[in-house]
Amino acid sequence: MFNHRHYVPILRWKAAEKGALWKLKSEDKSIITPLVEFVMPQPDDDKGNKTPKELLQESIDIFQDKVPDIADQILKYWGHDSIFIDAQLIDGSIRADILEKILGYCERLDLFMIPVITVIPVVGFESDIKTRQVAIDFAKRSSHGLCLRITESNFNEKSLSSDLENFISKNKLDIKNIDLLVDFKIVNEQASYKFFIDKIDTIPCIDQWRT
């Protein structure tokens, strides 16, 4: 899909980020694939008299009301080009359902759009089983593929190589349709070049992933 001369910014789906994507020039967009993280909205509790349960439910209700508009927003602010979407920061009680709805709205929009919106779901080894399955089913059904996001904590597991291979084989996926995102999050300034090379060298089939 793209090579090392490409930028994958990790963004929250908020007004400022949407506006920034919308204002990008077409030549800049051609070398960028954003990864959008959906987050829970802040509930209104100015008086401070709501319980944590009430605040969570209000946040859930606000987010669920916004879900039907997300596919149209992606088209408006980003367009038809590839975009990664990650629901991992959504509350676990609705995460899989929300991801399924967002992907479903994007599919319905695709029925009337040429070219289609290339939405690629993101999962990790920490993703719950239901959310992971929603992403995998969509990846197969849409032929858009999947993004697998691994972090430094995954590298600390000696089984990372076999975990990656098992993930592909058990889910009957094609490695050529999977984007592997290595997310080191905040990097210590003392980390050496060798530190990263040693980590990357543990990834199997490094030249076979889509990106």
Side-chain angles (χ1 to χ4, degrees), residues 44-57:
D44 182 15
D45 189 28
D46 291 339
K47 297 180 180 179
N49 56 4
K50 296 179 182 177
T51 67
K53 184 176 181 180
E54 289 173 332
L55 291 171
L56 174 59
Q57 188 58 53

Side-chain angles (χ1 to χ4, degrees), residues 2 175-176 178 180 200 203-211:
F2 53 77
I175 192 173
K176 293 182 175 60
I178 301 177
L180 185 65
I200 299 302
I203 298 175
C205 310
I206 193 67
D207 59 344
Q208 294 183 32
W209 304 86
R210 179 165 62 180
T211 61

Side-chain angles (χ1 to χ4, degrees), residues 10-173:
I10 299 176
L11 310 171
R12 302 290 168 85
W13 196 240
K14 296 183 177 181
E17 286 82 348
K18 294 175 191 175
L21 291 176
W22 184 63
K23 291 180 180 180
L24 284 172
K25 296 178 180 178
S26 57
E27 57 265 33
D28 295 325
K29 289 181 66 176
S30 68
I31 56 171
I32 293 175
T33 301
L35 188 153
V36 168
E37 294 180 320
F38 297 107
V39 295
M40 300 297 291
Q42 288 295 321
D44 182 15
D45 189 28
D46 291 339
K47 297 180 180 179
N49 56 4
K50 296 179 182 177
T51 67
K53 184 176 181 180
E54 289 173 332
L55 291 171
L56 174 59
Q57 188 58 53
E58 184 175 326
S59 181
I60 288 173
D61 292 342
I62 294 171
F63 192 84
Q64 288 181 325
D65 287 342
K66 294 180 177 180
V67 168
D69 298 325
I70 290 177
D72 289 315
Q73 289 177 357
I74 290 173
L75 181 62
K76 175 182 177 179
Y77 294 110
W78 179 246
H80 299 275
D81 297 325
S82 297
I83 184 170
F84 299 117
I85 64 169
D86 193 332
Q88 195 57 33
L89 299 181
I90 297 300
D91 187 75
S93 64
I94 60 169
R95 185 181 302 130
D97 182 58
I98 289 295
L99 179 61
E100 188 169 33
K101 286 180 178 178
I102 292 173
L103 295 173
Y105 283 119
C106 289
E107 278 186 303
R108 292 188 199 109
L109 200 58
D110 282 349
L111 294 175
F112 307 99
M113 303 297 298
I114 299 177
V116 300
I117 303 174
T118 309
V119 174
I120 303 166
V122 179
V123 293
F125 289 130
E126 294 79 13
S127 301
D128 61 272
I129 295 174
K130 190 175 179 182
T131 299
R132 191 185 303 179
Q133 196 58 52
V134 167
I136 291 169
D137 290 345
F138 176 81
K140 293 178 178 178
R141 187 172 66 248
S142 68
S143 299
H144 291 181
L146 184 76
C147 177
L148 181 59
R149 185 175 184 174
I150 60 175
T151 64
E152 187 174 357
S153 63
N154 298 130
F155 283 102
N156 295 331
E157 299 290 335
K158 294 182 179 179
S159 60
L160 175 61
S161 180
S162 59
D163 288 343
L164 289 168
E165 292 172 343
N166 290 336
F167 176 81
I168 294 168
S169 61
K170 287 183 178 180
N171 293 299
K172 296 180 173 58
L173 295 167

